[in-house]
């Protein structure tokens, strides 16, 4: 599985070149949590799995891509959440203060302007039902989504 490949990469290439015990311990804890979440994600959606995988990727300096099927709206929700995660992780931003910043990224950030480029409208292509089905961290702010049928 990809988890065993990731663990092998970390063990073979990352850990021998990283003597910082704090980083190593954090990475080991994240990998244990990722492995336990993997079992859950096989049965239901678990956004924490994606967030944790992103964090591990950043920790080990890997190259990775985030994209949904069309590479538009769900990708925008994931990336804007990751921007906030990076603010917390790297710039001492408080996790409890993330919601207004996340909303601002989604309402006025570059991903929002991409919606116009993609469909000719400043609306994410989600309808109300789709928004309710999205995990909370991936829901667009009120007034920023349309009927879902505007996709081109």
């Amino acid at each position: 599985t990809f988890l065993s490949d990731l663990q092998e990469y970390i063990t073979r290439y990352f850990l021998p070149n990283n003597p910082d015990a704090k980083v190593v311990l954090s990475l080991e804890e994240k990998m244990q949590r990722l492995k336990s979440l993997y079992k859950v994600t096989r049965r239901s959606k678990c956004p924490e799995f994606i967030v944790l995988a992103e964090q591990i990727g950043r920790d080990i300096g890997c190259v990775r891509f985030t994209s949904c099927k069309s590479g538009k709206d769900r990708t925008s929700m994931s990336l804007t959440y990751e921007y906030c995660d990076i603010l917390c992780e790297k710039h001492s931003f408080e996790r409890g203060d993330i919601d207004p910043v996340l909303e601002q990224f989604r309402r006025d950030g570059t991903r929002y302007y991409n919606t116009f480029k993609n469909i000719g409208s400043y609306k994410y292509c989600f309808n109300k039902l789709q928004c309710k089905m999205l995990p909370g961290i991936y829901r667009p702010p009120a007034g920023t989504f349309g009927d879902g049928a505007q996709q081109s």
Side-chain angles (χ1 to χ4, degrees), residues 1-12:
T1 69
F2 83 94
L3 283 173
S4 57
D5 291 343
L6 179 58
Q7 185 66 59
E8 181 180 348
Y9 174 85
I10 291 169
T11 303
R12 185 181 289 180

Side-chain angles (χ1 to χ4, degrees), residues 64-115:
R64 64 169 185 77
F65 300 91
T66 299
S67 184
C68 62
K69 186 174 158 185
S70 67
K72 297 188 306 188
D73 303 302
R74 286 174 183 82
T75 300
S76 295
M77 297 302 108
S78 180
L79 289 174
T80 51
Y81 186 82
E82 186 175 8
Y83 300 158
C84 288
D85 193 44
I86 291 169
L87 282 174
C88 295
E89 188 178 298
K90 304 289 185 191
H91 302 286
S92 303
F93 196 82
E94 294 295 324
R95 290 207 179 270
D97 297 332
I98 198 174
D99 289 342
V101 175
L102 183 58
E103 182 172 329
Q104 195 67 36
F105 278 143
R106 292 178 176 169
R107 198 174 284 288
D108 296 314
T110 57
R111 301 304 305 183
Y112 189 61
Y113 291 102
N114 283 352
T115 62

Side-chain angles (χ1 to χ4, degrees), residues 9-152:
Y9 174 85
I10 291 169
T11 303
R12 185 181 289 180
Y13 300 108
F14 183 77
L15 294 181
N17 297 312
N18 196 324
D20 187 342
K22 185 178 175 184
V23 170
V24 170
L25 181 60
S26 172
L27 191 55
E28 288 173 352
E29 290 171 353
K30 288 177 184 177
M31 280 301 296
Q32 285 302 108
R33 180 76 180 134
L34 190 69
K35 288 174 185 175
S36 68
L37 288 173
Y38 181 68
K39 295 171 187 162
V40 173
T41 61
R42 297 170 86 178
R43 292 188 301 276
S44 64
K45 293 178 182 177
C46 181
E48 185 184 352
F49 181 84
I50 295 169
V51 171
L52 200 51
E54 291 168 345
Q55 289 173 356
I56 291 169
R58 287 193 306 270
D59 289 349
I60 64 174
C62 75
V63 174
R64 64 169 185 77
F65 300 91
T66 299
S67 184
C68 62
K69 186 174 158 185
S70 67
K72 297 188 306 188
D73 303 302
R74 286 174 183 82
T75 300
S76 295
M77 297 302 108
S78 180
L79 289 174
T80 51
Y81 186 82
E82 186 175 8
Y83 300 158
C84 288
D85 193 44
I86 291 169
L87 282 174
C88 295
E89 188 178 298
K90 304 289 185 191
H91 302 286
S92 303
F93 196 82
E94 294 295 324
R95 290 207 179 270
D97 297 332
I98 198 174
D99 289 342
V101 175
L102 183 58
E103 182 172 329
Q104 195 67 36
F105 278 143
R106 292 178 176 169
R107 198 174 284 288
D108 296 314
T110 57
R111 301 304 305 183
Y112 189 61
Y113 291 102
N114 283 352
T115 62
F116 186 81
K117 184 177 178 183
N118 289 330
I119 64 167
S121 173
Y122 289 107
K123 298 279 184 186
Y124 296 109
C125 288
F126 297 117
N127 60 38
K128 288 181 182 180
L129 178 61
Q130 287 172 315
C131 286
K132 287 181 182 180
M133 300 300 289
L134 287 170
I137 65 171
Y138 296 137
R139 287 189 190 129
T144 63
F145 57 92
D147 64 6
Q150 299 170 326
Q151 296 182 28
S152 56

